[in-house]
Amino acid sequence: MQVALNWMIKHRNVTTAVIGARRIEQLEANLHALEFNLSQEHVDALNRVSAPALPSPYSYHTPEFLELIHTGTSVTKV
């Protein structure tokens, strides 16, 4: 939970983190998320695995798909 909170509050679009602690221990555990910094490598990994899948037709505009379409394609005038 602490890693998730730490990662979330670092996003520029997040202005508030709402936590639902019922006990003081939960609140303290959540507040510990402010006591460390994630490396850029960890942030990038979390961003990758949490990125939403693009809906069709936008999924056809990913670099991998465009490479698949255009690799080896050539047009010559006959």
Side-chain angles (χ1 to χ4, degrees):
M1 179 62 89
Q2 292 174 5
V3 171
L5 284 172
N6 186 292
W7 170 69
M8 183 192 65
I9 62 176
K10 302 270 192 263
H11 284 250
R12 63 181 176 167
N13 295 331
V14 174
T15 58
T16 305
V18 178
I19 55 176
R22 297 179 100 188
R23 299 185 322 254
I24 191 72
E25 297 85 17
Q26 292 172 323
L27 176 61
E28 290 171 347
N30 288 334
L31 291 176
H32 284 298
L34 303 173
E35 297 177 354
F36 63 93
N37 289 313
L38 295 170
S39 70
Q40 189 59 46
E41 182 180 344
H42 288 126
V43 170
D44 292 343
L46 290 167
N47 288 341
R48 272 193 311 279
V49 299
S50 66
L54 294 173
S56 181
Y58 305 107
S59 58
Y60 298 115
H61 298 283
T62 63
E64 296 83 10
F65 195 81
L66 292 174
E67 182 180 348
L68 181 66
I69 292 171
H70 299 293
T71 300
T73 302
S74 62
V75 177
T76 56
K77 188 175 185 180
V78 180

